[in-house]
Amino acid sequence: MNKKIIIRTLEKIALYMELQAENPFKVSAFRKAAAALEADERSLSEIDDITAIKGIGKGTASVIIELMEKGESSVLKELEGIVPKGLIPLMKLPGLGGKKLAKLYQELNIVDAETLKNACEAGKVRELAGFAAKTEEKILKELENFGTRAERLPIWQLEPVVLEINELLASLPEVELFSVAGSFRRVAETSKDIDFIVATKEYEVVREAIFKRLAILETVAAGDTKVSVVLDREEPVSVDFRLVKREEYATALHHFTGSKDHNVRMRQLAKSLGKKISEYGVEQEDGTIETFETEEAFFAHFNLPFIPPTVRESGKELDRLDELQDLITLDNIVADLHMHTTWSDGAHSVSEMGHALMEKGYSYAVITDHSQYLKVANGLTPERLELQKLDIYAFNKANPDFRLYRGTEMDILPDGTLDFEDDMLKDLDFVIASIHSSFTQSQDKIMARLKTAIENPYVHMIAHPTGRIVGQRGGYDPDVPLLIEWAAENGKILELNASPYRLDLSIEYLQLAMEKNVPIAINTDAHAIDQLRYMDMGVKYAQKAWLKKELIVNTWSREKFEAFIKKNKEK
DNA sequence: GCCGTTTTCGGCCCGACTGTTTTCAGTCG
């Protein structure tokens, strides 16, 4: 029996119980048991006493044991017999939870979207206690685009929206402080909505500006302190604004950054000290509310170091405080090793990119335009790559305090060969190999291609190793653990591509790479100057994997980097 | 259903908003 199946079954039981209007604490006990099992790093066979895990007791353990022994759960089976399957997806309709659905089922025999729609249209729903005309209309409206609207949007779709709102809020003199919060601030790959915390004395003015200056599709809520809107974008984007007083800003930001589990853990800690955390501050034992200038001060109040938003996830981060100092931060980054210029499909010249990199405060970088195979990207022939040298040398001559290295992002061709001859590669400072074609090949073929690249003495790094696009495509499905083995054996770098489209390698593989001591380079893959900003996102994503800074190539000094790139050539 | 330096009962994170009510339940984050 697979651990994931057990976790899903426990969650399913909770969901079905919710639809039975079961005691909410009992429901959450099943969810907690599922979460506890997930958080435990051991495999099933390594766990002797399942009830020893905090959050798993007699009841949930018996479900788990039954699943392990018989492969099914009688508890779930019984629930499935009582609760109609069609009710489950209806839980996703805004405004409908377990209790309301249970009532709809019991009183009106509503079992799925179809019967719900009919009941609403017949005016039956408004007759129930606790429901009325408005609820009925709302349900009908929600049913219209039920299933068509994306539930969670990928980070690359949200990032431009966040930038736009940042600009709006920064332009308002009435706004004292503001920040994005929620899962976007934690750099989640996908988010349900975007949260903003805004400190202001002028609620009215800020609210007006939001309504006036953003393209709003729908206003979901417009209370005193909460404004909730859906923006008119290619995909509709939900945005919540929380308007708070300056003194509440730090605790509000913490509260709405989450995660939920992190907040629960923090509240438990507060409670054990006789205090109470809310978005308005920390209530002390004597009932007074203490507020904080910054999130740092808030954590310090509990004797904690600043915990970066990116690692505020399961709550377990509070057990790893001594590792926080090893986490990579943007300050540690001195280089960017993957970018494009007008020589291939980039928007800016070598010199323009170089100056932008210097402005970032970096000390070196590598220009890595595409190779000849990638015709759609105007990939460089050996001849053009030779010519590009002149641009790079000229830049280096003019800017002696900075160093641009000559590189390439060379394609690994569908037939498994490389796009440039070794003689060509030998002449370059830094060679990236990557796959941009024939994604549907068998895993064996893909791995054979990657093996050729990784065993080539002149290749330094494999870029975006899985080829995935966040929330859109899975990539070419390599055997990543094996690739990590090979990288370790051959002393090669694997990339964390920082573009929000990619974030590749993903967290679980980054952790695996770290265990094997494989160096990781966080690169923007910028095709224009403004995309150099992705470094911040890449660094934060690396934090989520708890990557240690020593392993990150672009924290290395120029000397250390040069020693690394020379090593391969001398083989 | 789970848990325990408030330890086998009684609480479980906390508060806003909406729509329903006429003081509150349900939902949501």
Side-chain angles (χ1 to χ4, degrees):
Chain A
M1 170 64 47
N2 176 321
K3 193 170 162 186
K4 286 264 184 280
I5 294 177
I6 293 182
I7 291 164
R8 271 203 296 275
T9 306
L10 289 168
E11 281 165 351
K12 223 167 166 182
I13 289 173
L15 194 58
Y16 274 102
M17 282 179 165
E18 216 173 353
L19 281 167
Q20 284 256 83
E22 182 61 91
N23 173 2
F25 294 111
K26 186 172 169 180
V27 174
S28 99
F30 274 86
R31 296 224 162 92
K32 277 183 191 161
L37 199 58
E38 186 140 53
D40 197 293
E41 278 154 20
R42 295 171 296 174
S43 75
L44 280 177
S45 55
E46 288 166 335
I47 304 172
D48 311 321
D49 182 9
I50 197 110
T51 56
I53 298 174
K54 208 173 159 228
I56 296 177
K58 238 172 69 185
T60 46
S62 73
V63 171
I64 296 170
I65 290 164
E66 190 189 4
L67 275 168
M68 285 166 68
E69 284 172 355
K70 296 186 190 155
E72 56 179 34
S73 161
S74 51
V75 177
L76 179 62
K77 263 199 156 171
E78 192 183 328
L79 284 165
E80 281 173 339
I82 305 169
V83 184
K85 256 200 169 64
L87 284 181
I88 301 277
L90 298 183
M91 286 285 280
K92 286 183 182 143
L93 285 172
L96 286 186
K99 291 197 175 161
K100 284 205 159 147
L101 280 170
K103 188 154 195 175
L104 286 169
Y105 169 53
Q106 281 153 16
E107 308 266 333
L108 296 176
N109 202 29
I110 279 162
V111 293
D112 53 23
E114 180 74 33
T115 47
L116 178 58
K117 192 169 175 231
N118 294 340
C120 284
E121 280 168 352
K124 295 268 187 220
V125 171
R126 67 177 70 194
E127 290 167 10
L128 292 181
F131 295 78
K134 234 171 170 173
T135 311
E136 199 175 74
E137 284 162 24
K138 199 180 160 202
I139 292 173
L140 270 176
K141 199 169 149 244
E142 293 295 344
L143 276 173
E144 266 176 42
N145 47 20
F146 183 53
T148 59
R149 222 176 247 189
E151 247 179 81
R152 300 183 71 85
L153 293 176
I155 188 166
W156 51 268
Q157 250 172 32
L158 299 176
E159 198 240 9
V161 181
V162 170
L163 289 183
E164 182 190 326
I165 296 173
N166 278 341
E167 237 168 75
L168 164 67
L169 294 173
S171 74
L172 300 175
E174 293 83 5
V175 170
E176 296 168 63
L177 276 173
F178 71 91
S179 170
V180 69
S183 54
F184 185 90
R185 184 168 180 239
R186 304 199 312 275
V187 192
E189 291 177 13
T190 60
S191 299
K192 213 168 135 259
D193 59 9
I194 303 174
D195 295 286
F196 269 90
I197 309 299
V198 182
T200 181
K201 290 192 187 78
E202 311 277 345
Y203 289 12
E204 283 298 327
V205 180
V206 174
R207 205 159 32 192
E208 280 308 302
I210 289 168
F211 287 135
K212 219 165 141 186
R213 298 201 10 211
L214 294 174
I216 290 170
L217 202 62
E218 185 187 333
T219 301
V220 183
D224 284 339
T225 61
K226 179 179 165 179
V227 176
S228 194
V229 296
V230 180
L231 296 188
D232 190 7
R233 291 292 182 126
E234 202 171 324
E235 289 281 347
V237 179
S238 300
V239 186
D240 284 356
F241 295 88
R242 312 275 170 165
L243 309 181
V244 302
K245 300 197 190 87
R246 170 63 186 95
E247 61 269 27
E248 296 163 351
Y249 178 76
T251 38
L253 181 59
H254 176 263
H255 176 89
F256 289 109
T257 296
S259 68
K260 209 174 170 188
D261 291 336
H262 169 84
N263 285 0
V264 167
R265 185 78 193 268
M266 287 297 292
R267 287 214 163 93
Q268 285 166 346
L269 171 65
K271 206 167 180 182
S272 72
L273 301 167
K275 304 179 185 204
K276 214 157 86 179
I277 297 174
S278 82
E279 56 260 53
Y280 301 108
V282 177
E283 189 180 324
Q284 307 296 303
E285 274 181 290
D286 60 8
T288 58
I289 308 280
E290 190 166 331
T291 60
F292 305 90
E293 185 68 21
T294 60
E295 265 190 333
E296 281 82 355
F298 164 77
F299 281 114
H301 181 77
F302 295 100
N303 255 327
L304 296 169
F306 178 72
I307 301 175
T310 47
V311 301
R312 298 179 201 165
E313 289 297 336
S314 66
K316 275 188 145 186
E317 59 279 1
L318 274 92
D319 303 322
R320 302 179 71 174
L321 299 173
D322 50 340
E323 294 173 58
L324 290 175
Q325 58 192 5
D326 298 326
L327 293 183
I328 177 89
T329 65
L330 193 55
D331 299 342
N332 303 134
I333 299 291
V334 298
D336 193 339
L337 312 180
H338 182 173
M339 69 197 64
H340 302 269
T341 70
T342 45
W343 280 91
S344 64
D345 59 348
H348 293 99
S349 68
V350 167
S351 164
E352 285 169 330
M353 287 306 266
H355 285 292
L357 290 155
M358 286 175 69
E359 265 171 48
K360 291 263 165 202
Y362 297 157
S363 57
Y364 62 98
V366 192
I367 298 294
T368 56
D369 276 303
H370 288 292
S371 61
Q372 54 194 353
Y373 175 81
L374 220 54
K375 299 233 170 16
V376 289
N378 193 24
L380 272 61
T381 58
E383 294 72 29
R384 290 181 65 223
L385 191 55
E386 253 329 276
L387 282 175
Q388 188 190 39
K389 188 149 86 170
L390 303 175
D391 271 8
I392 292 173
Y393 288 175
F395 181 85
N396 282 333
K397 200 170 176 194
N399 301 282
D401 293 339
F402 187 86
R403 178 69 194 233
L404 268 188
Y405 293 99
R406 281 185 72 210
T408 178
E409 182 183 10
M410 173 183 62
D411 261 75
I412 307 170
L413 308 186
D415 67 3
T417 60
L418 302 177
D419 204 12
F420 288 136
E421 299 295 329
D422 281 2
D423 281 348
M424 183 82 231
L425 299 180
K426 204 192 299 189
D427 194 40
L428 292 165
D429 296 317
F430 192 70
V431 175
I432 300 175
S434 54
I435 289 181
H436 295 110
S437 57
S438 299
F439 279 28
T440 53
Q441 285 179 345
S442 69
Q443 193 179 65
D444 286 347
K445 272 202 173 143
I446 292 285
M447 290 310 284
R449 287 165 80 183
L450 288 167
K451 193 163 200 235
T452 308
I454 219 162
E455 286 181 347
N456 182 294
Y458 306 111
V459 169
H460 296 97
M461 183 183 93
I462 305 291
H464 44 76
T466 75
R468 74 151 175 174
I469 300 293
V470 172
Q472 208 160 72
R473 72 168 191 221
Y476 35 76
D477 188 31
D479 180 346
V480 181
L482 183 58
L483 182 67
I484 288 170
E485 290 283 344
W486 292 345
E489 283 166 20
N490 291 280
K492 298 296 161 80
I493 301 167
L494 293 179
E495 185 175 59
L496 163 50
N497 192 293
S499 161
Y501 285 95
R502 295 190 180 271
L503 296 175
D504 182 9
L505 294 170
S506 63
I507 292 171
E508 53 164 329
Y509 295 136
L510 289 173
Q511 287 168 335
L512 194 56
M514 181 167 61
E515 281 170 31
K516 305 285 178 191
N517 267 315
V518 172
I520 301 292
I522 305 173
N523 297 323
T524 62
D525 196 355
H527 285 66
I529 284 171
D530 69 327
Q531 290 175 9
L532 292 172
R533 73 177 186 275
Y534 295 155
M535 186 59 78
D536 180 51
M537 193 170 273
V539 165
K540 286 175 173 164
Y541 192 75
Q543 290 177 348
K544 293 183 87 66
W546 293 79
L547 283 194
K548 292 192 171 35
K549 51 185 122 176
E550 296 81 29
L551 225 51
I552 311 287
V553 177
N554 36 344
T555 68
W556 295 354
S557 67
R558 214 195 290 178
E559 294 71 31
K560 188 169 173 185
F561 179 68
E562 282 190 8
F564 180 87
I565 58 181
K566 271 187 195 139
K567 192 180 65 189
N568 285 27
K569 293 194 180 170
E570 285 159 8
K571 265 182 197 166

